[in-house]
Amino acid sequence: MPDADTAPLISMQGVSKFFDEFQALKDVSLCVKEGERVVVCGPSGSGKSTLIRCINRLEAHEAGDIVVDGVTLSDKTLDHIRGTVGMVFQQFNLFPHLTVLENLTLGPRRALGLSEEEAEARAMLYLERVRIPDQANKLPRQLSGGQQQRVAIARSLCMEPRILLFDEPTSALDPEMIAEVLDVMVELARSGMTMIVVTHEMGFARKVADTMVFMDKGEIVEIGPPEQVFKAPKSARFATFLNQIL
Ligand code: ADP
Ligand code: MG
């Protein structure tokens, strides 16, 4: 767990998000320190995706403040956010007509101004980190789901973000491919990356989470270190949820 007295890298204070009349986030406050690993769980529709989509401003919130790396999120600070926060989606979201290498070099060349050589060197570095450098010249559809998700993780890493958000990164995978993706995420966590991971993989949570968050109906209902919240959940809703998924 990172130092208690360092300033948070992400600070959400009283954040609310509406979709028309429907309130998807209700007065949510959450602080994440540099190097902290947060795992978010909760029933379908509880606001987990909305929470992390607000942190990289794929969604705009209506009330409260979100400060990322010292900058308050608004439409004027989009460039800063996109340069600071990376995201890995459930459905990989790779460009199907581009090779693995092209998927990885596109962002660094377009957004960071790297030369082709620099971008390719960086891409190969991160492909090695997710253990698939041999797949560089294939198209996404020629890869397994687990390999595609590792490419998506490498693609995020190529932008060298300070924070990585994961939205159910193993939910679309066949069971035999889940471990290879989780292993890469465990290594990333151990390397000191600041991560917020929405997942129901509680083994992963126990292994890497500094902080466990349980959401229900747009609220953070339970938050604390995993050893504490798993052993003695304070809320009946979290206890019931754990019984259902474990
Ligand atoms: P989770 O990721 O926990 O399953 P979400 O954050 O995706 O939940 O959604 C929370 C609630 O907000 C759900 O009731 C969902 O239907 C609603 N919601 C999410 N995105 C939209 C949207 N773009 N338009 C309308 N309602 C949405
Ligand atoms: Mg979701």
Side-chain angles (χ1 to χ4, degrees):
M1 183 73 173
D3 258 1
D5 50 1
T6 48
L9 194 50
I10 303 169
S11 163
M12 303 179 80
Q13 294 296 332
V15 172
S16 289
K17 166 72 193 167
F18 291 83
F19 294 107
D20 300 319
E21 305 287 280
F22 179 79
Q23 190 168 4
L25 292 180
K26 298 174 186 163
D27 196 20
V28 168
S29 297
L30 176 70
C31 277
V32 181
K33 295 190 188 310
E34 177 138 40
E36 187 172 349
R37 280 78 46 130
V38 179
V39 168
V40 180
C41 66
S44 179
S46 58
K48 308 180 297 296
S49 295
T50 304
L51 176 86
I52 61 172
R53 289 169 65 84
C54 282
I55 293 173
N56 72 348
R57 208 156 172 94
L58 284 176
E59 302 285 356
H61 57 286
E62 276 86 34
D65 279 315
I66 306 179
V67 181
V68 175
D69 195 21
V71 175
T72 301
L73 298 209
S74 73
D75 288 340
K76 295 191 183 109
T77 56
L78 267 181
D79 283 350
H80 172 265
I81 292 313
R82 296 290 143 79
T84 307
V85 186
M87 177 116 167
V88 175
F89 300 89
Q90 184 176 344
Q91 299 292 349
F92 329 135
N93 294 10
L94 298 171
F95 294 110
H97 57 291
L98 299 182
T99 66
V100 166
L101 193 64
E102 288 163 348
N103 265 283
L104 268 60
T105 54
L106 189 67
R109 293 184 64 185
R110 291 243 179 107
L112 307 179
L114 265 59
S115 70
E116 189 172 346
E117 270 177 12
E118 288 167 325
E120 287 189 1
R122 186 182 283 194
M124 291 312 297
L125 182 83
Y126 288 114
L127 278 181
E128 270 158 39
R129 192 121 167 234
V130 301
R131 299 194 213 102
I132 39 173
D134 46 324
Q135 308 294 327
N137 296 312
K138 291 196 181 160
L139 291 169
R141 66 167 177 273
Q142 297 173 301
L143 271 54
S144 72
Q147 290 174 325
Q148 289 186 54
Q149 190 58 301
R150 285 186 283 151
V151 170
I153 293 171
R155 181 175 62 175
S156 286
L157 291 172
C158 279
M159 299 299 286
E160 309 205 320
R162 297 195 60 197
I163 300 160
L164 258 188
L165 309 175
F166 294 80
D167 195 356
E168 305 210 31
T170 60
S171 299
L173 299 177
D174 292 332
E176 71 271 20
M177 291 168 192
I178 292 175
E180 68 191 55
V181 171
L182 291 179
D183 284 351
V184 164
M185 292 170 60
V186 168
E187 267 173 39
L188 255 182
R190 300 219 161 118
S191 77
M193 176 63 82
T194 308
M195 298 162 71
I196 302 181
V197 183
V198 175
T199 186
H200 291 161
E201 294 288 338
M202 291 300 134
F204 171 81
R206 283 176 196 274
K207 213 183 272 179
V208 309
D210 299 300
T211 306
M212 197 65 219
V213 169
F214 170 68
M215 293 189 70
D216 193 20
K217 301 191 172 81
E219 293 175 302
I220 293 182
V221 173
E222 186 116 8
I223 180 165
E227 59 277 14
Q228 182 185 312
V229 298
F230 285 132
K231 198 166 20 156
K234 289 199 192 89
S235 72
R237 279 191 273 175
F238 185 40
T240 307
F241 176 78
L242 282 176
N243 274 330
Q244 282 164 354
I245 64 160
L246 291 180

